[in-house]
Amino acid sequence: MSLTKVTYSMIVGAETNILDYIPATEHTAILAGTSTYDCGPDITTAINALKGTSKTKALYFPQGTYNVDTTITINSLIGFKFFGDGTRATIINYTPASGSLFYFTVYVSNVFYDMAFYSAEIANLSRTNICFRLNGTGGGTEMLFQNVFINGFHTAVRTKDAVGNEDTVTFNSCYFWSNIYVWDNSNEQAVSWTFNTCQVLYTTGIVFYN
């Protein structure tokens, strides 16, 4: 049997392809970057399906554009990898002008790499949307972003919500373009945040709000 990127997650221990959870009728448009389908619920379903299993907890996003119209809420996620084919190839496009693309409550040792996260509201300075909202409750440690591009959000990463959390987040070789805030830690909930070889361009507000 020949294997494609869509079917190779059938192998025990292989990464799970997000297209396995998205209707086949949407695949061509997603891979071509022309789809208007909301992938948010399917991404949430894939994450929840992998939690608590013995399978490798790695979710692969092939080259394409994945629109998300709803918040992806993630609770108690441990040792999970999200990865794509590069910042110019795999794009998660969050369409609302408000709300959060990803909302993590409790997390340990999760990684995002080789992906881009776009907001469709790049020209709207009144937007309030957030790319990664960490720790509404519970706290989290060891979140790593590697070769990630975050573009056009009000806030790229927010860790201000709860009291007494101990966030530790690292960014390696990441790009932050056209965001109003790169980091909002105004309640000083993050214990450690590290930026290594990152680039910030066209920020219209405060880069680090602590």
Side-chain angles (χ1 to χ4, degrees):
M1 178 180 70
S2 63
L3 294 174
T4 67
K5 287 184 177 180
V6 178
T7 61
Y8 82 132
S9 59
M10 295 168 60
I11 301 173
V12 175
E15 299 90 351
T16 296
N17 193 316
I18 188 58
L19 293 179
D20 291 349
Y21 287 85
I22 295 173
T25 54
E26 301 294 333
H27 292 184
T28 298
I30 288 172
L31 298 177
T34 58
S35 174
T36 59
Y37 176 78
D38 179 12
C39 297
D42 299 324
I43 296 171
T44 300
T45 297
I47 294 167
N48 290 334
L50 291 176
K51 285 170 60 175
T53 70
S54 59
K55 194 173 185 179
T56 301
K57 296 176 183 178
L59 192 56
Y60 168 58
F61 292 75
Q63 177 174 342
T65 299
Y66 302 82
N67 286 314
V68 175
D69 302 334
T70 50
T71 296
I72 299 168
T73 300
I74 301 172
N75 181 43
S76 300
L77 196 66
I78 299 173
F80 208 102
K81 295 189 297 182
F82 302 82
F83 69 103
D85 286 324
T87 59
R88 299 295 182 183
T90 297
I91 298 170
I92 311 297
N93 182 48
Y94 184 61
T95 57
S98 61
S100 305
L101 172 53
F102 285 96
Y103 176 36
F104 282 82
T105 55
V106 180
Y107 65 88
V108 177
S109 300
N110 298 300
V111 181
F112 286 84
Y113 64 96
D114 291 341
M115 306 174 71
F117 302 92
Y118 285 9
S119 166
E121 296 294 325
I122 186 170
N124 183 357
L125 295 179
S126 67
R127 66 196 186 278
T128 59
N129 55 14
I130 301 164
C131 189
F132 289 93
R133 181 182 169 194
L134 306 181
N135 291 346
T137 59
T141 60
E142 300 177 17
M143 180 75 83
L144 172 63
F145 297 89
Q146 176 83 36
N147 194 34
V148 164
F149 183 19
I150 301 177
N151 180 74
F153 288 84
H154 177 277
T155 303
V157 182
R158 174 174 169 171
T159 55
K160 65 173 286 185
D161 294 336
V163 176
N165 292 328
E166 297 182 350
D167 306 275
T168 58
V169 185
T170 299
F171 297 89
N172 293 330
S173 301
C174 294
Y175 306 86
F176 304 90
W177 288 16
S178 302
N179 304 287
I180 295 177
Y181 292 91
V182 169
W183 183 283
D184 182 359
N185 187 48
S186 53
N187 282 351
E188 299 185 2
Q189 297 309 307
V191 171
S192 171
W193 59 100
T194 303
F195 292 79
N196 298 313
T197 320
C198 295
Q199 184 182 83
V200 177
L201 288 176
Y202 315 121
T203 298
T204 59
I206 300 172
V207 176
F208 301 115
Y209 184 23
N210 188 47

